[in-house]
Amino acid sequence: MRNLLENKRTNLIITLLLVLGSLVVVWVTGKQYYDFRHDDYQFSGPNVTRVEKFSDYNPNLINTIGDSDIFVIEGSVSSNGPSLLILGGTHPNEPSGQLTSVLFLENLEVEVGTVYIITEANRSAYSATNPQEGSPMYYDIPTDNGVRTFKYGSRATSFVDQWPNPDIFVHPASGQKLSNQDTRNLNRSYPGRIDGYYTERVAYAITQLIIQNDITMTIDLHEASPEYMTNNAIVAHPGAAMNIASHAYLYLELAGITIKTETSPSNLRGLSHRELGLYTDTLAFLCETSNASQGRIHGIFTEDLIVSGEDKFYQKAEELGLLAARPTTIHERVARHMATIIQIVDSYNAIYNPTNQDNQSLIIQNMPSYSDVMTNGIGKYLQ
Amino acid sequence: MLYTILMVIYLIILAFVLAMVVWIIFTSKKWTDKIIGAIAIILFLLRLLLIK
Amino acid sequence: MKKLWILLSVLVLSFIVVGCKPNEEEEEDPTAKDIDIVLATTWQDELQAKTVYLTTCGQADIDIIRNVMMMAGILDTAYTQDNMLTAAEVEDDSVVILVVGTSGKGLGAAGTNVTAENTRAEAFATKANSGKIELIVVHIGGTDRRGELSDTIIGSALAGSDLTFVVITGDADDFFTDHASDAAPLYLFSTASKLVAPFKVLFGIE
């Protein structure tokens, strides 16, 4: 074989073939990565009264991938009264967060108050998958109108949009030292900085959205690996938010939905429920459900793992009692998030407007029930 | 501003290293050098074009 | 012929012995626990005329209990809530509702730790055992609020408990059952919302 390379002409031909092979791979994979990054998924809702942009709240995001849409649904009877921000897509590898926000976007009717919905909080994280995970880039949900494809992205901002990053991320507002990875994690970047790293600019925009519109409640939707302790939970800022979460816990329990409540930790900074509760007047919540595709125990990473949550290694782990929460289907995860959001709103109304005075409650409707989604699947309620 | 200067410097270094890899592929008479170099081209080129 | 009679007798006796075996279906399961039972009438209105405090050792789930009490119709003015209450601060002849179970996040948010919480729990138990206060211990967190750290605090509190309410998933290993006695009865509940009824009884609410 080496003799082939001794001959100059043969050597040249072989080298050119190898380089050509590389270029073909660059073309095929590059096109796939390029399309994934530039896929312009358009979300819309029948009751949306206006669409704002992140750049309305941070001009440093204009003409960047981070300029996400903010869908606003104002009350048909009155837009005065309490408001709610549903934050989906903070971590694109936690699909039920986005799917739940899309479910609300495409079904929700607001009678009194205003609801803000974000489906892609960190759009840069939707432009790539986590390196070395071998995860799918898309997953499908069958609907009555055909199969609908959603993107499965990364936990963190893409390096293409934010590089270089410091070895140690010093959270600007608190001075706390966090890991290098957290520089690109939206849920460690709150309240953000107007001209900070890309991820901090996005966090700043969301914080300003809440401050400038005096948003009453903010619910950030997430998932956690089944072995992670904070699971099937509402994490709430201490004080009034925790009181609402506790009220919601009891009523969800009565409805047969087991959930737990956790207080926002004071010794971990940058999280939405910690910082938004501190730097704004919003009642800040974060919800977690159990997602097998996020964990370390699962086998081969397929689209089915994302949607069904079924994995033989997680089954074994569950039998051995090693999991904090059972892995569930995406339908159940979305159903939980949806039921939790609706109950948090009901709990707010019960606590802050027990006598049902006009314009003092957030009145929302037209969402399917928990059992509807569990029985029929999310697809039945998507456009 | 620092962010942009660093990015430019990074891309220049990247382009230089890529050129070196291509030079090695063409001049070396070892199969391992050529194959590893061909794989390295893929990674460096995707990064140079800021696709991945 | 004689051998045949002996054989027949043995067979008949065997059938009689087998036929007299107790019916297995009627045996009671010794591990079955009574849950969601009505609070004994001795506790009726017990807290109505007393000074009542609500606190936690472990900094978990107290907001849920406050909401349970709200669902029971108990006004905020009927009790004093202080998450860091100490035994020294409570009046004699008062009642302390102590919510146990450890939350790492809760401990951090309150700026305390397991050792300090355990010290508080021990002090409440000591004061209860000396007859100066009545101690009602509540645990609703299930297995999530059990474990080495939680159990230390819970054990300290149970040493002085006069009445214990527990959501049954937290007693899977009989930890609370083993601590219960006639002087410190244990009531098990299927869910946290089932505690509304006993709190109504305690506060004398219809």
Side-chain angles (χ1 to χ4, degrees):
Chain A
M1 287 279 273
R2 192 181 163 83
N3 291 336
L4 282 172
L5 298 178
E6 294 296 334
N7 182 301
K8 267 191 182 174
R9 193 172 166 209
T10 319
N11 188 338
L12 182 63
I13 291 170
I14 289 169
T15 304
L16 285 171
L17 282 172
L18 281 171
V19 170
L20 185 63
S22 299
L23 292 175
V24 166
V25 172
V26 168
W27 172 256
V28 170
T29 57
K31 188 164 184 336
Q32 194 181 37
Y33 290 136
Y34 185 88
D35 288 344
F36 190 64
R37 180 176 172 80
H38 293 92
D39 259 341
D40 206 9
Y41 266 57
Q42 297 292 335
F43 293 105
S44 64
N47 301 310
V48 172
T49 47
R50 71 176 187 276
V51 181
E52 297 178 352
K53 304 287 280 184
F54 275 21
S55 55
D56 294 337
Y57 298 95
N58 186 350
N60 287 322
L61 289 172
I62 290 174
N63 297 325
T64 71
I65 194 170
D67 198 5
S68 299
D69 290 332
I70 305 164
F71 301 96
V72 186
I73 304 176
E74 290 169 312
S76 54
V77 171
S78 171
S79 62
N80 293 326
S83 50
L84 166 68
L85 168 60
I86 299 173
L87 198 49
T90 296
H91 292 149
N93 64 331
E94 299 170 11
S96 76
Q98 180 184 64
L99 275 182
T100 305
S101 66
V102 173
L103 195 69
F104 275 87
L105 178 64
E106 296 179 359
N107 290 276
L108 184 70
E109 289 174 1
V110 181
E111 200 176 295
V112 175
T114 307
V115 176
Y116 300 80
I117 300 173
I118 295 172
T119 56
E120 296 175 299
N122 189 350
R123 279 189 77 221
S124 170
Y126 275 104
S127 70
T129 53
N130 281 341
Q132 301 178 341
E133 291 279 329
S135 69
M137 295 158 103
Y138 303 93
Y139 63 97
D140 292 334
I141 301 289
T143 75
D144 289 348
N145 302 317
V147 174
R148 198 152 156 200
T149 302
F150 291 89
K151 291 172 82 168
Y152 184 91
S154 168
R155 177 177 174 78
T157 300
S158 169
F159 286 108
V160 174
D161 300 307
Q162 183 174 318
W163 189 93
N165 297 295
D167 288 338
I168 296 171
F169 172 47
V170 179
H171 181 248
S174 65
Q176 185 177 56
K177 297 187 179 71
L178 300 167
S179 83
N180 160 271
Q181 290 176 27
D182 286 331
T183 324
R184 298 179 296 118
N185 183 353
L186 177 57
N187 201 28
R188 298 293 184 276
S189 298
Y190 291 100
R193 289 185 297 171
I194 190 169
D195 57 354
Y197 297 109
Y198 160 89
T199 315
E200 290 180 291
R201 297 179 190 192
V202 170
Y204 180 86
I206 294 169
T207 306
Q208 286 302 307
L209 164 71
I210 293 168
I211 291 173
Q212 292 180 29
N213 294 286
D214 198 19
I215 294 178
T216 316
M217 290 173 278
T218 299
I219 304 176
D220 188 8
L221 301 173
H222 286 259
E223 295 184 307
S225 57
E227 59 267 33
Y228 186 59
M229 291 305 295
T230 307
N231 218 318
N232 289 337
I234 308 170
V235 186
H237 195 81
M242 192 60 202
N243 189 34
I244 294 171
S246 300
H247 189 278
Y249 164 100
L250 288 167
Y251 282 88
L252 286 166
E253 192 186 54
L254 282 167
I257 301 170
T258 310
I259 204 158
K260 53 186 169 189
T261 58
E262 292 282 0
T263 309
S264 185
S266 58
N267 53 356
L268 182 57
R269 301 302 297 272
L271 296 103
S272 59
H273 48 81
R274 163 58 43 188
E275 306 302 332
L276 294 176
L278 204 56
Y279 288 93
T280 78
D281 292 332
T282 199
L283 298 162
F285 308 89
L286 182 146
C287 298
E288 298 271 17
T289 55
S290 180
N291 171 18
S293 70
Q294 244 184 298
R296 303 290 89 200
I297 300 175
H298 67 75
I300 191 165
F301 206 146
T302 61
E303 186 188 316
D304 185 60
L305 177 67
I306 297 167
V307 175
S308 73
E310 286 174 6
D311 176 80
K312 63 179 180 183
F313 298 103
Y314 267 113
Q315 265 172 359
K316 185 69 181 173
E318 191 181 358
E319 286 164 23
L320 293 171
L322 296 174
L323 302 182
R326 181 178 53 89
T328 54
T329 67
I330 201 160
H331 308 286
E332 183 171 342
R333 281 139 52 196
V334 170
R336 282 187 147 266
H337 274 326
M338 182 190 64
T340 303
I341 290 171
I342 292 169
Q343 186 54 60
I344 286 174
V345 171
D346 285 347
S347 293
Y348 171 87
N349 293 338
I351 291 169
Y352 287 91
N353 191 21
T355 53
N356 288 320
Q357 293 183 37
D358 290 344
N359 294 342
Q360 300 297 314
S361 287
L362 177 61
I363 312 287
I364 61 174
Q365 56 206 23
N366 202 45
M367 294 300 297
S369 68
Y370 177 84
S371 58
D372 285 340
V373 176
M374 289 292 287
T375 307
N376 303 319
I378 327 160
K380 183 144 181 71
Y381 306 100
L382 293 176
Q383 288 174 1
Chain B
M1 191 58 191
L2 178 64
Y3 182 83
T4 312
I5 293 170
L6 270 172
M7 192 56 131
V8 169
I9 295 171
Y10 170 72
L11 291 173
I12 291 170
I13 294 171
L14 200 58
F16 175 76
V17 172
L18 179 59
M20 291 293 102
V21 169
V22 171
W23 182 78
I24 287 171
I25 291 179
F26 276 94
T27 56
S28 174
K29 289 178 182 168
K30 291 165 73 174
W31 278 104
T32 48
D33 287 349
K34 288 186 184 300
I35 290 168
I36 291 169
I39 294 170
I41 284 177
I42 298 168
L43 304 172
F44 282 122
L45 205 47
L46 284 172
R47 180 45 65 100
L48 191 63
L49 297 170
L50 292 178
I51 293 172
K52 188 74 170 77
Chain C
M1 194 63 184
K2 189 177 176 184
K3 284 182 184 173
L4 183 61
W5 277 113
I6 291 170
L7 181 60
L8 274 172
S9 303
V10 167
L11 279 170
V12 167
L13 279 169
S14 302
F15 277 123
I16 291 168
V17 166
V18 169
C20 288
K21 194 174 166 192
N23 187 347
E24 283 181 1
E25 288 173 9
E26 288 175 3
E27 266 184 27
E28 276 188 12
D29 177 4
T31 62
K33 297 176 184 174
D34 290 329
I35 60 170
D36 297 338
I37 63 173
V38 176
L39 198 61
T41 51
T42 48
W43 293 99
Q44 182 73 40
D45 302 342
E46 178 68 14
L47 273 55
Q48 203 175 36
K50 292 188 177 172
T51 303
V52 180
Y53 300 91
L54 173 65
T55 189
T56 165
C57 285
Q59 303 300 319
D61 302 333
I62 189 171
D63 292 288
I64 296 172
I65 294 303
R66 188 176 66 248
N67 275 282
V68 165
M69 292 165 74
M70 187 178 80
M71 286 167 79
I74 301 163
L75 300 174
D76 285 354
T77 49
Y79 61 93
T80 302
Q81 179 181 344
D82 180 351
N83 294 8
M84 298 300 296
L85 187 73
T86 61
E89 290 169 326
V90 304
E91 296 172 8
D92 287 355
D93 296 323
S94 63
V95 179
V96 175
I97 301 168
L98 179 59
V99 183
V100 293
T102 304
S103 162
K105 291 179 170 63
L107 290 174
T112 185
N113 55 56
V114 170
T115 306
E117 292 294 278
N118 191 46
T119 302
R120 286 176 56 232
E122 285 174 338
F124 281 121
T126 303
K127 197 156 186 171
N129 286 332
S130 68
K132 290 182 178 171
I133 60 168
E134 224 167 349
L135 187 63
I136 300 174
V137 176
V138 180
H139 183 274
I140 61 162
T143 51
D144 290 328
R145 302 293 185 215
R146 290 286 314 282
E148 202 177 314
L149 297 177
S150 277
D151 288 357
T152 305
I153 296 170
I154 296 168
S156 298
L158 288 175
S161 178
D162 294 295
L163 176 65
T164 308
F165 294 155
V166 174
V167 169
I168 191 166
T169 48
D171 192 42
D173 58 353
D174 291 341
F175 180 82
F176 291 94
T177 301
D178 292 341
H179 276 84
S181 65
D182 289 340
L186 168 67
Y187 286 80
L188 294 170
F189 299 92
S190 52
T191 60
S193 51
K194 296 290 186 189
L195 270 73
V196 170
F199 271 109
K200 280 187 167 181
V201 170
L202 286 169
F203 280 87
I205 294 172
E206 295 299 317

